[in-house]
Every structure is written in C-alpha cells, then in structure tokens.
Amino acid sequence: MSLSLSDLINQSLDKIKKAITKKQFELKQTIDEVQQLKDYYDANHLIKVYQQCIESKQVKLMELALFDIKNLVEQGFFAGEQSIGDKRVIDVILDIVISCQQEKEETVQIHMIKAIQTIMTNRKHHIYGELTTKVFQLLINIHSVSKIVIIVNTSKEACQKIVSTYFQRLEDYGILTEDEFQQAIQKQENQGQLILGKCRAMVNAEQYMRSLMTSLIDEVQMYSERKQIYDRQIEDLNQMKVIDLNLQEPNLRNVTVEKNQIQVYVTNEQNIKNGKFGWCVVCRKQASQYCKETKVPICSKECKFIHLNQMNNFSQCYQHSNNSELYCKDAQEILEMLCQLTQRDNTNPQLNQIVIKCKILSLELIYEALAQSNIILQNKPKLIQVIKEQLLESLLKNSLSTEKQLLILTLNIFIQLIWKVRSHLKKELEALIENVYFKFLDSSNSSFDHKQYTLKVFNKIMTKPRVVIEIFVNYDCSLGQNNLLKKILDMQCRIIQGRFSKQEFQASITQNQETYLKSLCLDNYYGYIKCIKEFCEQNEDSYNIVQVQQLDDQEDTTIQSQQLSQDPIEKQKQMKLEMNKAVQKFNFKPEHCIKHLIACQFMETRDPKLFAQFLWENRDLNKDKLGELFGCSSEFNQQVFQQYIDFMNFKDLQVDEGLRYMLEFFTLPGESQQIDRIMEKFASKYCIDNPGIYQSAQAAYTLSYLLMMLQTDLHNEKNLDKMTIPQFFNLAKGINDGENLPQDLLLGFYQRIQKTPLALHAKEQAKRALEQANQVDQRKRHAMLAKEAEESLKKWFKEHPNQDAYFYANSIDHVKSLLQQTWSPIFASISVFLEQTEDQQQILLCFETIQSFIYLMGRFDLDEEKDTFISFLQRYCTGIPNTYRQILGVQALIKAAIQSGQYLRKSWRVALQLVSKLEILHQVVKKIKVDSPQKESYNQEDIQNIERLFQSISYDQIDKIFNMSINLDSNSILEFIRALCELSKEEIKQNRTFLLSRMIEVADFNMNRIKIIWSRMWEIMREHFLEVGCHKNVDLAIYAIDQLKQLSCKFLQQPELANYHFQKEFLMPFEQIFSHSQAQQQYKIQLREYLLSCMCMITNVCFNSLKSGWKIIMSIVNQALQEDQQQLIRLCVQITDKIMEDVNNQQVNQEIYMELIQALIKLTKNKDINIVENAIKQLKTLVDHIALIKKNDNKFLDSLWIPVLSSLSILYSDERVAVQQQSVQTLFELLQKHGVYQSNEFWKMILRGVIRPLFDEIQFSKLQYTKQQQSKKSIASTCKMTFQLFTDLVISQIQQMQPCINDLIDIYIQLVLQTQDHISILCLQSLKKIIQNVGQYLTEDNWNILIEQIQHLLQQCSPTELLEAFNLDEDFQKPLDELLKEEIRPKKFSFKINALECSSKQSIQERCLEILEVQVTQFQNQITQQNKQLILQLFQEQYQKCRKFNTNLYMRYFLEQWAVQWNFVKRSSQEFDDLDNTTQSKQLSFINIELLAAKVIIFLSNDPFSFIEQLIQRFLDAYNGFSQPQHRQDTLNGNLEQLRHLESQIVISRLQLLFMETVFPFLKQNLKSKVVSKWLIQLLKAGLNVSGVENKEYNKVLVNLLEEIINCENNVF
C-alpha cells in the first residue's frame, strides 16, 4: 500500500536520523529545519538533505538517500519542473545521484543504478539533453568495467529500460512533419495511428475521450428505456390501486449496486445487446463488470488495465507532446553514442574483454531501440542518417568479428533494419547481403557460425511476407538491380544440393554441420512458403482472384497490356522478366539476346548503347561470352564494347588496378588479336579518366599489353624461367612515348602482379581457393574473409553510386510473379533433399512445403508449376507405399486435395486416381472382395504395408475429398467433375463403380449451387451417365440408372423458378438412355422397363415439385408408347393416371399438356379396351382443364384442338363399337362445350380437319365391316348417332359456325356424292334438320350455294337408268289397259341397271327435294325470286319425270322383278340399306317425289290452275285404277291389276292429304272460278264411285267447299 507524502517524508527522515553520527551536525540541523515545515505539496525541500547524505560518503546514508530518492520519484512527489538556480529540480536530483559513481561499495552502486533508472524512466518528468548521454556513458562504463554479476545485470537492465523508455516516448510523443507524414502514409504503415500534426498519444487521448462520451450516451439511452418502463409500471399500479414497495425510480448511472434495477434490452452500434452495466468502454462488448476507480462499465480485467492506462496517458499527453523535437534529438544522440561505442577499436589487448562487453551491451541497446521503434523513427531523416552513416559501418565491422555474440547481435540488428527501415536502406542492405552475408555462405573462409546464423537471418527475412514481397519488388523486379530474393533462395538451393560437400569446405564444415545447414535451408523454405500462404489467406478480400479463364488469347493479351500501362511496378516487373530471359539467351548465344531485346521493345534496333547498358546492368552474364563479344572484330561489337567500358571509372587507379577492375566483369578471350582490341579500348578510356599520367593512349596501351605479358609469364606453371624485375624494367624502357616510367611505379606493377594475377579464370580461382582453404588456419581464413567482404563492398558501392527509389508493397498483387520466379530452386532443393534425408521431421517439412506450394500456385493460376509439384508427389503414390517417405507422399497428396482442391483444376485427375487406388487397397485391408477384374495378388508384406498406410491416413479423409467439393468455386468444381467422370469411365471398363457412386454423392452435395453452375456440372455428368446407361452390360446400365434415380429424387424436390429448365436438363439422361441403349434386344426391354419404373417412382415422390422435368418424363412415356410392349404401356398408364389425378390442382407444368395429350392419344389406340376408354375419358378431362386455364391463350388452344379432335375422329375406325361411340360422344361433347368460345377460323379448321375426316372414317368403317353381319346394326347405330350429334352441334353453335355454312354444305354434298347409300340419306337428313332449325341465320350467299349444290346433287344422283327405261321394250310405251286386253306373258330381260343404286339415288333425290321444300315453305322470304324460279323449275322437271315413271305400271313391274333377281345375285355386295326402313321400299316408285314436287309447284306457281288440273286428272286416274282386278291372281295380268289396285289406293290416300294441305286452300280462295266447282264435283263423283279409300277429313273438306260454292251462287242470284 502506497504511503502519503508526509508519511513517506517522515519515515525517510527518521531513518536518516538514526543513521547519522554526532559529527554530522549540519545534516541533523538540516533535517530539523525540514521537519519544522508544515505546508508543503512536494518533496523538493528534501533535496538538500539527500545531497548532504550523499556528500557525507557514509555508505548507510548514501543507501538511504538513493533509496528514498528512487521512491519519491516513483510516487511523483518531486516537482521536477521547478527550478533550482538554472537547473530543473529533476536534473539536480539526477546530478546528486550520479555523484555517487565514484563510490566503490556494491550496494551504493546498485542503489545508484536503480535510482538513475527510475529518474530516467519516470513518466512525469523527462530527462533530455546532455544528461541523457552522460547517464548512458556512466551505465555502460559500469557494466563494462564491473566484474560483479549483480551490478553488471542491474546496469544492463537499467540501460535496456531507459532505451526502451526513450524510444517508446519518441513513438508516443513524436510528431511527424507534413513530408514525413506523407511518407508514412505511402508506406501504409500509419493505419490510423497518427493524424497530421498530432502525436500518437494525442490521438489515443482523443479516442479515449470519444469512448467516454459514447459511454455517457449509452447511460442516457438506457436510462430513457428504464424510465419509460418505470412510468408504464407506475401507471399500471395506479390503475390497479396497488403499491409496489420494491419498485424504485431508475438511476441515471448504469454503474449502480441497486438490486432492483430495471433490466432493459438495447443494442449498440455493433448490434450487441447490453450487459448488466451496458457496454464495455474499451471494446464495446457486453459489460457485466465495472471499474471501481472510475465507475465505468468494463467486460474484463484486460479492458480495465487498458482503460486505466488510457486515463493516465490522457493526463500527460498534452504536456509532453510539446517536447517532440527534444525526444527526437535525445533518440538521435543515444543512437549516435551507441553506434560510436560499437566501433571502438581495441588497441590495448588487456582491455579486450572490456571493449567487447561494451560493444555487446551497445549492440543490445541498439537492438532494443530498433525493436521499440515504429513510425516516428522510421520516418525521421536524422535518425535514418545515423543508421546509414554509423550503424551500418558498425554492423559490418562487428559481423566480421571472431566473437560469436557480436555476430549474433549484429545479425539481429540487421533483421530489425530489414523489418523496420528497409525503405531507406535499399542500396545499403543489398550491399550487406550481397557482399557480406552471401560471402559468409559462399566463402570457404567463413566459419560454421557465420553460415548457420546467416541462414537464420534469412529465415527471419523470409518469414515476414511484406519484407519478402518488397525485396522481390525492389530488387528482383527492378531493372538494374540484382535478383536478390532469387539469389537468397538459389544460395540455399546450392547448399542443399551439396555446396559444402566440396573439397574446399572440408576444413571448415563437418558432415554433421553440413546436414544441419541443409536442415536450416529447408526450414527457411518452409517458413518462406508458409508465411506467403498465411499472408495470402489474411489478405484474401483485397485481391480479386480471376476464376473464369479467358477464352480469347487476344483479349487476355489486351488486358495484360492495359495493366502494364497502368502499374509502373508491374511494368518494371515484366520488363525485368524479359531481361532475365535475355540473360539466358545471351549465355546461350548473344545474337539471340539481341533479337529478344528488340522483340520486347527494350530497344527498337541494334542500338550499341542500349545493348551495352543491358550488358553492364546484368551481372549474371557468362563472362566467357562477354569476352568473346568484346574481342570480336565486327563494328557493332566494338561499338558495344566502347559503350560498355564507358560505364567504368578508372579515376585514381593505376593501370594494373584498372585492368584488374575491368577484368572482373568479363574474361579475356584466347586470341591475341581479340586481346589487342580490348587493350586498345581500355587504354583510351584510362587516359580519359586519368589525363596527364601518360603521354598518350598509345603509351597506356603498350603498358597494358606489357602487364598482361608479365602476368602470363609469372603465373604460367609451365614457364620455369620467370621474368625478373630487371628484365621487366628493360622491356618497359621508353614505353611512355620514348620516355621511361619511374622505377618505383614499375616495381609496384611487378610486385602486385606477382602477388595476385590481374585476372583468373573461374576454374583457376576455384583451384586457388581450395589450396588456400587447405593451407590457411582459421584465424587467417577469418582475416581473408574480412578482406574479401571489405573489397567486395568497396567495389559494389563504386558500381552503385546512386540510391534507387523504393516501392512499397503490402498486397498480394505481386505474389504471383514472386512465386513464378522463386519456385524452381525450392523445387530442385526439395526433390534432392527428399532423396538424401532419412529424418522423418525433415521429410514431413518437405511435403508440407510442397502442399503450400500447390495451394499458392493453384491460387494464382500457375497451373504448369502447380502440376509440376503434383506430378512430383505422384511419384510417391504409385504401387503400394512401403516407406515412410511414400506414406507421407500419399498423405501429402490427399491433404493437397483437401486443402487446395479449390485450385487443383486439371490435376484433380491425379488426386482422384490416388483415391481410386486407395479404395482398392482399403478393400484389401478390410478383406472385402476387391472391385477390380485384375485381381491382383497381395502377399502378407503388402497387406502389412497397406495397414500401415491406413494407420497414417484415415479413410474419412477420402470421404472428405468428396464432401469438400461443396466448397470448390465454379471453375474448380467443373474440373473436379470432369476428372471424376474421366476416371469413372476407366473404372467402368474394369467393371468398377466406386467413382460412379461417389459422383452421385458429389452431385448431391453440390445440388444447392446457383443453377447456372449446377447446369454446367450436370452437363458433364449427364454425358457420363448417358454413356454408362447405354453400356452393353445391362447390370452396369441399371446400376447407373438407379443411382441417377436416387439423385433425381433429391434434386427434383427442390423448387424450380419460372422460365428455368434445370429439371429438364437433369432428367435428360433418362430420355437419351431410353433412346440409345446399346443392350441386346432381350435386355433392352428389361432396361426400358426399369427406366420407366424409375419414372413412375420419380413421378410419385416428386410430383409436387416437378416442373420442366415433366417434359422429359412425358417424352420417355411417348417413346415407350410407340413400343408394342404391354408391360411398358402399363407403366406409362401409371404415370398418366398419376398426372390426371391431380390435373385440376394445376400442379403439373402446363408446358407438358401437349406431350400428355400425345400420350393419351397413343393410349387410345391400345389393344386393351379398358386402357382406351380410360384414355378417352382422361383426354376429355384434360382438354376441359386446358380450355379453362388457357381460355385467353388462343395460340395455344389452336395448337391443341386439331390433334385432340382429329385423334377422336380417327378412333371411329376402331373395330370396337364401344370405342367408336365413346370417341364420337367425347368429340362432340368437347365441341359443344368449348365451341361457343371459338372463332370462325377455328370452326373452318374443325370442319376440314376433324368433321370431314370423321365422315371419311364413317364411310371407311362401313366398307371395312361389310362382311361382319353381327356388327352391321351397331355400326349403323353409331353412324346415325354421329350424324345426330353433329346436327345438334351445328344447331347449337350456328352463330359461331355461320361463316362456315358454305363449307358445311360442301362437305355434306361431297359426302353424298361419294357414298350414295344410307349414309347419304343420314347426311341429307342432317342437313335438312339443320336448315329447318337455323335457316334464319343463312345469308343470301348461303342459300345460293345450297340451291346450287342441291341442283348439282340432283343431277349427279338422278336414277336416269330408271327414268329412261321406256326405251328398253316397246311394250313399255303402251298403256296398261291396252296391254291387259291380251294375256301378258313373262319376259326375260337383260337390263344393265343397278337397282340398289337407283333406289339409293331415288332416296337421295327425295331428300334433296325435301331440303328445297323446307327452304321454300319455311324461309320463302329469304329466297330471291331468281332462286324461286330455279327451284320451281327443278320441281317441275322432277314432277314430270316421276309422274311419267309412276304411271307406267307395266314397265315398273318388270323392272321390279328384275331388281329382285339382281339383288339376290348381288347379295354379297348389299350394304346396310335394309337397316333403315326409310331408305328402302318394296317397289320402284317415285310417288313421294311426285307428290312433294306437286306441293312445291303449287306453292311457288303464280298461276297453279293448269297444274292443279293435271293433279286432278292424276287423282281421277287413280280412282279409275282402283277398280277390282278382273284376271286371276296367278296370271301376269292379275298381278298387274292387283299392283295397280294397290298403288292407286296409295296414290289416292297421298293425293287426298296433298289436296287438303295445298290444293283445297288455294281452291277455296278461287271458289268463284267455274273450273273450281267443276273440279270439285269431279272429285266428289270419283270418290263416291270408289269404296275402301274413304278419308273423312278429305270428304268433309270437299263437301264444305261445294257448299260454299252453292252458297256463293245462291247469294249471287
């Protein structure tokens, strides 16, 4: 528990009092004075006491003073900003503490260090300026010099905490300028932490204030909710007149301990419901707790700590933010001081350990500073300048140290630089990596520690994705830069492939060390690819992965070119790739390189300058090829070399140094002429860079050539007689245009070349390196390494004088190119490493690395590279895995399929091949019958290996591969399905169905995908199911159909949207299998029967969800109905019955109505009459339903009527009478019911397409069944019923059919002309009835057509043979009375007259005249006068013909006798006329026609008297013929008399009726005419003379007429 200021002061002074001696009177007096003070607010008045304690040099007092100072500073009881003299109080206190540094007592040292630490790190009063560096120097010195462990550790800890505080303070209170702020934004490192002109602490303070304000708003909102609830409860209680003692008015604060607080339920801006105390002030989650100190809601201890820390920072942020520049200056000074300490040279060996300790601590502090640094340090130019100018130099020196700890620290600092400030050190970091760390790995002079820690540094670099990407973008993608990342990977690749196994490394690297280094490289590869993978997964949303492949290459090229033009980094990256290709081509043949550079637009033509620039900027070129190019005599090559050498700078170099520098870039060719050309260009450039040293370029050229000769002479092993110095001097006489060069200069040339050749070939360099490695000890090797690094750095900085721009990258846009350029060394390394190592952990890392590569390559559409890794894995998956490596290979491929299935695409085939193989092996383990015709034999060892495999791989993983297909994107699932189908086809050839069954599972899992994707999937699967379903092996085909059926039942239960046809596409294989099955005929029926049974099941199970699928089902049904197989037809009937059961509920898709109608029509032709009758009934029901729901869709109905009605009309040809009658009844019921809504065109169509064919069927059926006597009656009955139904139809639908009357008349007339039998009679009777009932609707044109057609019919159906029979015998022309005078003898005639035909024509004539009679009598007003005259003429003609024939009884007798004989002979051809009594008479007579004609003639004649006179004469003749026969009955004369008697009786009776109906009414109107009375008297007399033919009505009318005549005459007189 912390004490108050007064308690702490009293306690401190009491302790000091006890420790002081009597001699320390002054100190005691000071204490007394302090204790007398009562009004104080700080501890500043104690400073004098503590100062005297420390000056006393008494250990106890010093310890107490330092301890109390530490406590008071910690508690913040010093007013540090007040002044004592010209110093701040806090600075005075620090000086007092530092004054103890000379004290050697251990406890005093420790208390001093702790006090210093407290003062330097306190949050209230900051120390800055010179005191800061002074403190650090003190602490570092104590740490370096002291040998006491606790002091060393305490001082080290103090330094670390102070550095951490200062650099953290820099980040908290430092403020960036506008330029620095923009730079931070460009780096994308700000992330909302800073606002321009504000430090991070101020931003956090503002956020803290916003959180408090939000919390207050929350409280108001919750109080409002509680208050509303409370008011409602009070109102309810008042109404109930009840008092609730527990009900309390809500508190405004959420944080309250009241037990009866009203609970409310409110959500905040994150849609989170409130907790007991609302929402946490920090994270906005539900707050079930609150902070006791501040009374704000919190959710956890962590949030409470954050809240309190924010509150403390809030109170100080504005005070310290004004000191931003001071904090930056302090950080800079500290960093400078530490860098200087790390560069201290050890001149005194005795102080070696002190210096090393100082360096180590300084490096540790630098590391701590960099670790604490963030945005401010990274963007402050002064701090960056310190790092560039001092820290990097320090790192170089210390990394080359033999001290292991220094090496580790420098490498750790280097890692921090890479992580934090790489953007400012682009050139420097590359220089260190290329010339120091690569040297560590590549040089035989470096130690094992150098190599292992360098690889660990690379691990730290390669496991930071942003660092890796920016290295790639700024170096590997930048023109003029080395491929740094690729080199790092290549270097490790060479290590794995055995770089350290070479002889030159045997002295420095053991075999175990090499193995360890290889494992580090593998770890680096694994970390590299793992971090890239995790980075891509985290930034998934920021990158739009193109899933749909571009089909048009030209379009793809256009897109790429657009991207290049928009993104300069991308453009530079692509150009760098082209440059890399150019390098490869140059190393093969330089001319190919030139062509490539022109093709990629690096240069437009063969430009020497640009080509030389390319050669200078790319250091991976083959030096031998370069030398050959530069030594070539062609003008272009010499121009290139001239431009190339102009890039070099020989200033301040001696000639031998210049040659040495030049020859580092290429190898001199072997021919002297080529060397001569190169030396000439060198000398010229050397003299330009160093004017005045030699008299001319010729002198420099000669000297250069001489030095090359000297090198050859001195370093040629075959030359035993080496050139001496005097000899060399002698050769050099007068070389400077006749003047001698100084001997010192020449001696220097000789000695340097003697020591080191000007240039060595690569093989010679390797040989010398090997010799040095075997001969030189470790210390010398280290010195050589340092020299190599320094020289390499010097050369590098000379070649790279400028700092290139740095590109920032924090997205995955560049990962694809990164992977493209870096995958090959890793793949090469892993492939080698897997074959070499037996370490299981390393093997596992290899396969995990491959898995990650497969994921990334697939994700970025690098299919070729991805397939390479998968093919590599496939090598381990062949046969039965019997090693750990093979088992892991199988496991890796399975995991790749599960984790990276999204990106496998065409490689799914490899994965699924493995799955199929594993299924066979799994069956072997489970002792299941192996599903393969190969029937491989597995020995015991194989079975053990298989068991071991499945111990590592769960069979559930195989299931997971298919289950995870639901997560594949649209393109990947298509590739997955395609591979599955292809491999299933191969399995089918082996009679295996594993993948086929899995395909059903996959389809089931993915059924809920968007329909367009599902349609594409099913298009692939459909073809496969079709192929299997049509397989010759019926068992396989039925299995496929069964699987398809199960899948269909699931798919079809999903609802289908309108205007989509996914169900139709899904069920299409059923239809195609039904049509294209390749099974043998005896099995094809079985297959089709099973398929139809599947359709029945689908119909029953999925009836309510079927829509477009009905099309396929009905198509199959219609195909099956074409087969003459009753078992198939019965299944079809089940489907149609099911549909028809629910047709009124409209569940069936309306689009299949036509197919359903077709099916029902086909069923009406079945052999089973029950099926036919049911089909007709269902057809009527369906048509009624369609007509109801489609009443507004005339186009659809027009396409419906003709097929249905035509099929019903055609059924009249069925031999089954019941079918005929049902079909006809159904036909006319449909027309009666729905015809009223139809158009005129419809009826025309019906008459021509339905009625006319129906009449044709009637005629055909009569002819077809003539010989079947038992069916005549039923056929005639059906025929009569048909005409009756049609007549009723026309009468009821006359308004709609009125425009079709002419067509109707034409159909009737044509039918009569074609048949001329009893059908004609029925036809004319129908027409007569129609005219009688609907004549009023006929137009003038209709009447004209009718009369015209009747006239034509009378002409065509006239019994001319009978009417012209008078000419057959002369006796036929004689009167009967004359013939009876003599005995008439039988005659034998051979007439060519068809009596039945004539009889039929007679009936037709009669029916035609009846039609005309109806027209005349009922519709006279509608007939024109012309037509009346035409009708009158027709009847007159008929009357004359008939009367003449009727009155020649003799002729008729013999014609009748002949007709009886003819009928007997032709009985076999007699039709159905005997079935209709109205159409057949015993005698040949036209009496009906004669009398009918007479009636119409009277009706139509203007002056009928003359015709009535003829009628009366005919009447009188009949009375005369009614006399009794005078001859015997057995004679011909008697027969003729008897015939005349009977016929006269008939004529008299008919004439009596005719006269009563027609003649008497007319005569009554003309009684005044004398001829009338004459005729009446004649008729009366004739009737009185004859008996047996009395007609009372007739007689009555006749007598009445005579009485009227008498009365009229009496009245006259």
Side-chain angles (χ1 to χ4, degrees), residues 160-215:
Q160 289 176 337
K161 288 187 177 181
I162 295 171
V163 166
S164 176
T165 299
Y166 269 74
F167 281 87
Q168 185 63 47
R169 187 183 296 163
L170 172 67
E171 295 298 329
D172 288 340
Y173 303 112
I175 299 177
L176 297 177
T177 64
E178 184 174 356
D179 292 340
E180 295 166 351
F181 180 79
Q182 294 300 329
Q183 187 178 20
I185 295 297
Q186 185 182 4
K187 292 181 186 178
Q188 300 177 351
E189 293 178 349
N190 184 14
Q191 299 175 353
Q193 296 178 8
L194 288 182
I195 298 176
L196 181 60
K198 295 181 180 180
C199 64
R200 187 171 66 182
M202 292 175 66
V203 174
N204 294 338
E206 291 176 357
Q207 292 176 351
Y208 171 71
M209 286 300 300
R210 282 195 292 270
S211 66
L212 291 181
M213 292 300 297
T214 303
S215 181

Side-chain angles (χ1 to χ4, degrees), residues 1167-1227:
K1167 299 176 182 179
D1168 190 335
I1169 191 170
N1170 294 325
I1171 293 176
V1172 175
E1173 290 177 346
N1174 186 49
I1176 295 173
K1177 180 181 177 182
Q1178 291 176 345
L1179 195 59
K1180 179 181 181 302
T1181 303
L1182 180 59
V1183 172
D1184 288 340
H1185 174 70
I1186 294 173
L1188 177 64
I1189 66 174
K1190 293 281 188 179
K1191 58 184 178 182
N1192 296 324
D1193 191 352
N1194 294 328
K1195 186 177 180 180
F1196 182 84
L1197 292 175
D1198 289 345
S1199 65
L1200 165 74
W1201 290 117
I1202 288 297
V1204 174
L1205 301 178
S1206 297
S1207 65
L1208 291 173
S1209 67
I1210 293 171
L1211 282 178
Y1212 197 92
S1213 62
D1214 195 290
E1215 62 183 6
R1216 295 163 292 192
V1217 176
V1219 174
Q1220 292 179 359
Q1221 293 179 351
Q1222 187 181 4
S1223 64
V1224 170
Q1225 288 175 351
T1226 303
L1227 169 63

Side-chain angles (χ1 to χ4, degrees), residues 540 545-549 854-861 863 866 870 894-908 961 964-976 1006 1009:
E540 186 75 33
I545 301 175
V546 179
Q547 299 179 347
V548 180
Q549 299 291 336
I854 291 173
Y855 169 82
L856 290 171
M857 295 299 186
R859 186 183 186 281
F860 291 98
D861 297 327
D863 292 334
K866 173 204 64 188
I870 292 178
I894 293 295
K895 287 183 178 180
I898 295 173
Q899 298 171 1
S900 307
Q902 186 84 293
Y903 313 112
L904 288 189
R905 297 182 181 88
K906 294 182 180 180
S907 297
W908 267 117
I961 290 177
M964 56 72 65
S965 64
I966 193 173
N967 299 321
L968 299 179
D969 62 32
S970 55
N971 278 344
S972 298
I973 188 62
L974 295 179
E975 294 292 351
F976 180 78
N1006 291 273
R1009 285 183 180 267

Side-chain angles (χ1 to χ4, degrees), residues 927-1089:
K927 299 180 180 179
I928 305 172
K929 182 180 178 181
V930 178
D931 186 16
S932 173
Q934 299 173 355
K935 296 184 179 179
E936 303 176 24
S937 57
Y938 299 95
N939 55 37
Q940 189 61 33
E941 183 181 355
D942 292 338
I943 294 175
Q944 291 176 355
N945 289 331
I946 296 171
E947 289 175 346
R948 187 164 59 251
L949 171 66
F950 282 101
Q951 288 173 357
S952 302
I953 300 174
S954 171
Y955 190 76
D956 293 340
Q957 290 181 296
I958 296 177
D959 294 333
K960 193 173 182 180
I961 290 177
F962 298 100
N963 297 344
M964 56 72 65
S965 64
I966 193 173
N967 299 321
L968 299 179
D969 62 32
S970 55
N971 278 344
S972 298
I973 188 62
L974 295 179
E975 294 292 351
F976 180 78
I977 295 295
R978 192 173 287 112
L980 196 59
C981 291
E982 290 174 0
L983 292 173
S984 178
K985 289 178 184 177
E986 296 178 5
E987 282 191 350
I988 294 299
K989 294 177 183 178
Q990 304 172 7
N991 290 333
R992 292 185 62 212
T993 58
F994 168 68
L995 290 180
L996 181 63
S997 62
R998 291 294 191 169
M999 192 185 305
I1000 298 296
E1001 296 178 12
V1002 172
D1004 186 17
F1005 295 148
N1006 291 273
M1007 206 171 285
N1008 292 324
R1009 285 183 180 267
I1010 59 175
K1011 295 304 180 184
I1012 186 73
I1013 301 302
W1014 168 256
S1015 178
R1016 293 175 184 173
M1017 290 171 52
W1018 185 244
E1019 186 177 351
I1020 300 171
M1021 290 188 286
R1022 181 179 64 203
E1023 295 300 322
H1024 182 56
F1025 276 111
L1026 175 60
E1027 183 176 342
V1028 181
C1030 295
H1031 201 275
K1032 295 180 181 180
N1033 187 330
V1034 178
D1035 293 334
L1036 278 176
I1038 290 179
Y1039 177 79
I1041 294 171
D1042 181 69
Q1043 295 292 314
L1044 193 57
K1045 174 196 68 177
Q1046 297 177 30
L1047 185 62
S1048 301
C1049 290
K1050 296 178 181 178
F1051 177 80
L1052 295 174
Q1053 289 175 357
Q1054 298 180 344
E1056 183 181 58
L1057 299 177
N1059 301 321
Y1060 286 90
H1061 302 90
F1062 298 116
Q1063 292 182 354
K1064 178 181 176 182
E1065 294 177 4
F1066 188 87
L1067 294 177
M1068 197 174 290
F1070 289 106
E1071 179 187 15
Q1072 294 172 330
I1073 292 170
F1074 193 93
S1075 304
H1076 303 97
S1077 175
Q1078 298 178 1
Q1080 298 180 3
Q1081 188 61 34
Q1082 62 267 30
Y1083 299 119
K1084 185 179 291 187
I1085 300 300
Q1086 175 189 355
L1087 180 68
R1088 289 183 172 178
E1089 184 178 358

Side-chain angles (χ1 to χ4, degrees), residues 15 88 103 336 367 402 627 753 775 797 807 829 931 1120 1126 1136 1226 1231 1408 1464 1501 1506 1558:
K15 291 181 180 179
R88 295 184 305 157
E103 184 63 39
E336 286 179 344
Y367 176 82
T402 56
I753 293 175
Q775 295 175 3
F797 280 109
F807 294 100
S829 302
D931 186 16
Q1126 282 301 112
T1136 55
T1226 303
L1231 289 173
C1408 288
F1464 179 77
S1501 297
S1506 58
T1558 306

Side-chain angles (χ1 to χ4, degrees), residues 729-744:
F729 287 172
N730 188 41
L731 288 174
K733 284 182 179 180
I735 201 170
N736 190 15
D737 288 347
E739 297 181 2
N740 294 329
L741 293 174
Q743 290 190 356
D744 293 343

